[in-house]
Amino acid sequence: MDMSTARPVDRYFASYSGDHRNSTNQAIHVVAVPAILWSVIALLWCIPPLLPWFQHGIWAALAMFGTWAYYNRLSRPLGIGMLILFFVAGCVCRLLEDRLGIPMLLRIAIGVFVLAWIAQFIGHKIEGRRPSFLTDLTYLLIGPIWVLAKLFRQFGWHY
């Protein structure tokens, strides 16, 4: 494929894939990237609302909406997939908030965030390449849809 005429999502994936060739690193990313995504949503969920009629989760909802809009612009099918994943992540956060409370949700989110990033850096140590986001912070957003695109390809779905 000629990268000068490729869709932006395909150019991002080509570059991101170049930094993730090792199968062990890829396997780590398939687990750690969604864990990081969920933990960021959960951390945002724990930020208190500024206005009394809002509930916890408003900041996460706003961030998920903005991120979803970006993903949907890159690829409608991946945007729909991420919308579903964001919905599930929000439901998990709401369930944990209800069952365990915000302080415990915050502790879990921090723990998942730290462990998943440690795994990511171990994967890149094995790979022998720097993480893509050290070149361009946009790749922090590309990781989750790169993992989702791998799932799409396994099912033969086009994105």
Side-chain angles (χ1 to χ4, degrees), residues 119-136:
Q120 290 280 81
F121 283 107
I122 290 170
H124 279 284
K125 180 72 172 165
I126 293 167
E127 176 91 34
R129 298 182 68 84
R130 295 170 24 145
S132 298
F133 76 87
L134 293 177
T135 305
D136 182 346

Side-chain angles (χ1 to χ4, degrees), residues 33-47 59-60 63-64 67 86 89 93 109-110 112-113 117 140-141:
V33 167
I36 291 168
L37 178 66
W38 176 82
S39 68
V40 169
I41 292 168
L43 290 167
L44 290 170
W45 193 279
C46 294
I47 298 173
W59 302 116
M64 286 187 286
T67 307
F86 284 148
C93 288
I110 291 169
V112 169
F113 185 84
W117 272 110
L140 288 172
L141 293 174

